[in-house]
Amino acid sequence: MTYTYRYPLGSKTYQFRDLAELMAKATPQRAGDRLAGVIALSAEERAVAQMTLAEVPLKTFLNEALVPYEQDEITRLIIDEHDAAAFAAIAHLTVGDFRNWLLSDHATPEVLQSVRAGITPEMAAAVSKIMRNQDLILVAKKCHVTTAFRSTIGLPGHLSTRLQPNHPTDDVNGIAASILDGLLYGNGDAVIGINPATDNVAQAIKLMQLMGEVIEKYQIPTQSCVLTHVTNTIECIEAGAPVDLVFQSIAGTEATNSSFGFNLATLAEAQEAALGLKRGTVGDNVMYFETGQGSALSANAHHGLDQQTCEARAYAVARKFKPLLVNTVVGFIGPEYLFDGKEITRAGLEDHFCGKLLGVPMGCDVCYTNHAEADQNDMDNLLTLLGVAGCSFVMGIPGSDDIMLNYQTTSFHDALYVRRVLGSRPAPEFEQWLTRMQILRDADQHILHDALPEPFARSLKALPGGRA
């Protein structure tokens, strides 16, 4: 067997078959890579792999495809649309040099924006593997990615939220109550987004109409989304439904996305259809994507890669379609992929860093399943770290417990906490609405009004037996 990468350490020489193996062995340990059999066998081997990876020139990633070009449309997307002119400024660097440059004062937000089209997902993944958590936070903080539809997401100093009013039976009253609850905590400026319990076109249209009526009645500067399959959303558009954002879960290999039932052409068709509706008021970013480390492995479509590198490749798909929002659902797949709070925290910071470095409007569902070795204190830590790192948006769910999807995430008051402790603000259009509606009494201090806003009070009084 020929080994491409070698590193002598004392009397022993470590050898790595190819770039894919080197990347996997250099990855901080996590359950999914152990499950896939690609993890470093010891802490020493991991450290050696990281030192070896640091010496790899960035140009190598343009010449050594981790997933064969002929077999994978995402590899073709990455290579064919690589911006050589943007890459020129960093083309002379190794992975280790790239890390040092990113951390330097030379890598300003403006410079990072100018080179992002020249950075491939594999380059981003590689440099993240040799960075500490504080490195990931510092660089991500400098990466500004702004998008817009009816509200503007990702401005420096702002943190938005997805209001997630899921219900186990899609009961419209239960959903409406959750929406009201979230709005009263200042949540919902990124999107009001529902995971439907019953996933079909008719149900999606019903939920779209519900959210559309709420947004229109109270003139809320936000957007709605039903997280149904992209082909269902295309049918909803054809049926005349009030579609704001098109949703799809995406992954970093063609085979994984095929298992999800779509390809790049499907996303292009959906984007064109949504743009044709012209429903945005301050922008036209119409796509919403969700990702998660481990999805390619769970589909047996990871091509022997580590899960974090596969995840970074998904951001090439996202970047192609100029989304309003991209959300890594970091702990949702389970402990088979991210075992405990430490692994979830690391993965969340990696995903956020890689996405922002590549120019993707990155948010994070700070979450865990009930059989993971994690708890809400772990989520508090990751939420705070992501807030410091300039995360675009997080989730807001009643009581942090999604009673439909059965996992634990961040609550409405968690967003209020991080805005208060870090001084982050909602999207500017939404903050003005919160003040006008008298939901916020003091926008600078994020202090809520004690009384129910009059427009909401009138609506509640109109219900049978309603009392405000």
Side-chain angles (χ1 to χ4, degrees), residues 54 60 157 227 251 277 289 344 362 449 455 467:
T60 303
L227 281 68
L277 298 179
F289 297 125
I344 292 171
M362 207 70 198
H449 268 281
R467 292 181 298 173

Side-chain angles (χ1 to χ4, degrees), residues 363-376:
C364 184
D365 191 342
V366 180
C367 64
Y368 64 101
T369 58
N370 288 313
H371 61 309
E373 292 295 321
D375 59 26
Q376 212 62 41

Side-chain angles (χ1 to χ4, degrees), residues 31-32 331 333-340 343 369 371-373:
I333 302 181
E336 299 84 2
Y337 303 93
L338 296 170
F339 179 71
D340 57 16
E343 292 188 6
T369 58
H371 61 309
E373 292 295 321

